[in-house]
Amino acid sequence: MATTEVVRPLGPWQALRLLVLRNYITYRTEWKLFLTGFLEPVFYLFSIGIGVGALVEGFEINGEPISYAAFVAPGMLAASAFNGALMDSTFNVFFKLRYDKLYDQMLATPLTTSDIARGEIAWGQLRGASYSAAFLLVMWAMGLVLSPWAVLALPATLLIGFAFSAVCMALTTYMKSWQDFDKITLAQLPLFLFSATFFPLSTLPTWLQWVVEVTPLYRGVVLCRELTTGSITWASGVSVVYLVVMGLLGLAVVRRRLDSLLLT
């Protein structure tokens, strides 16, 4: 009499490892994609931080004077994590979900929708962190790392990547066509320009300062800037809590959306 073997679901860490490994194998021959993601913030640093910095005396961070390049660099560090996570968790996820039907195929294995959500978010997080790690080395080589606290800047970029990967993937599950990505660009550009990346928040009108302070990229910029300059304040703690909550909420939405889209 034939017996049927029951395939048990994978443990969360086993599933996470397999999904990250799958993405690594897929992308290892496309290293140029990672190179472009790293070079963009470096070019901004050279052109604005160094070029424009020659015309700007610098700023004070919590009473400590720093050069304009040292002010811009941690902002670009946070932005590199943001851009890497956003690109992977929007365009790539949309293609896998709507056209390649990759997630439908994964659900024919012991993987669950929660596994898929965690695996894709972790990959987007790692992609953003890889950009940031390389950028952090450039900052160190240029003498723009001003404090030993900067060793925590890489974990900070992982947190930024987690928060944006989760939320961007959640938003992607609501998209119906490629035209919807215009909305992503519409949100990405203001976040990049008005998150105190290139100029202090105090230069903005008071009402706009309040708006910027509740945006996610600003929280990431504050966290990276305080760590690399050594001017740690309560704002870093607020940023950590903000980004953790943002990531967990995004993860919860992704799980429910994948259940709705793939299990009906």
Side-chain angles (χ1 to χ4, degrees):
M1 182 177 179
T3 59
T4 302
E5 183 179 354
V6 177
V7 180
R8 295 182 179 179
L10 297 174
W13 289 108
Q14 289 177 300
L16 181 66
R17 182 182 67 84
L18 288 175
L19 286 165
V20 170
L21 179 61
R22 184 261 170 204
N23 280 314
Y24 166 74
I25 293 172
T26 302
Y27 282 99
R28 65 182 176 183
T29 58
E30 302 295 337
W31 57 270
K32 293 180 181 178
L33 296 176
F34 287 78
L35 184 62
T36 56
F38 157 69
L39 288 177
E40 182 180 1
V42 171
F43 289 154
Y44 270 108
L45 177 61
F46 286 156
S47 63
I48 298 179
I50 305 300
V52 177
L55 307 175
V56 180
E57 292 183 1
F59 302 113
E60 287 190 359
I61 301 294
N62 299 325
E64 295 294 330
I66 63 171
S67 67
Y68 184 65
F71 178 86
V72 170
M76 296 309 306
L77 177 65
S80 65
F82 162 61
N83 287 331
L86 181 143
M87 295 300 292
D88 206 271
S89 299
T90 53
F91 290 94
N92 292 339
V93 166
F94 183 78
F95 179 78
K96 293 173 185 177
L97 178 65
R98 299 293 183 181
Y99 291 89
D100 199 31
K101 302 298 182 181
L102 179 63
Y103 301 146
D104 296 86
Q105 299 170 44
M106 288 182 175
L107 290 178
T109 72
L111 293 173
T112 66
T113 53
S114 293
D115 294 330
I116 294 171
R118 285 191 294 264
E120 291 292 355
I121 290 170
W123 176 252
Q125 177 185 17
L126 291 174
R127 182 172 179 176
S130 68
Y131 297 163
S132 300
F135 188 78
L136 193 58
L137 288 176
V138 173
M139 288 178 58
W140 174 78
M142 295 176 63
L144 301 177
V145 175
L146 308 179
S147 168
W149 283 103
V151 298
L152 298 178
L154 186 58
T157 61
L158 284 169
L159 179 58
I160 295 168
F162 166 64
F164 278 103
S165 291
V167 169
C168 289
M169 187 174 178
L171 294 175
T172 301
T173 61
Y174 289 95
M175 295 182 183
K176 303 296 183 182
S177 69
W178 293 107
Q179 283 72 28
D180 289 333
F181 282 91
D182 290 339
K183 301 171 186 176
I184 295 292
T185 305
L186 184 62
Q188 181 184 13
L189 188 59
L191 283 176
F192 179 65
L193 294 177
F194 295 99
S195 294
T197 310
F198 301 109
F199 48 83
L201 189 63
S202 58
T203 60
L204 298 174
T206 303
W207 67 269
L208 189 53
Q209 291 182 34
W210 283 96
V211 174
V212 171
E213 285 180 351
V214 298
T215 58
L217 184 56
Y218 172 78
R219 304 315 321 177
V221 170
V222 166
L223 181 58
C224 289
R225 184 168 287 142
E226 293 197 349
L227 290 172
T228 57
T229 60
S231 301
I232 310 297
T233 68
W234 61 269
S236 291
V238 172
S239 296
V240 170
V241 173
Y242 182 107
L243 294 170
V244 168
V245 172
M246 173 180 167
L248 293 176
L249 288 175
L251 179 59
V253 173
V254 170
R255 289 172 176 170
R256 292 184 179 181
R257 286 292 297 163
L258 291 182
D259 284 345
S260 175
L261 294 171
L262 301 177
L263 297 181
T264 55

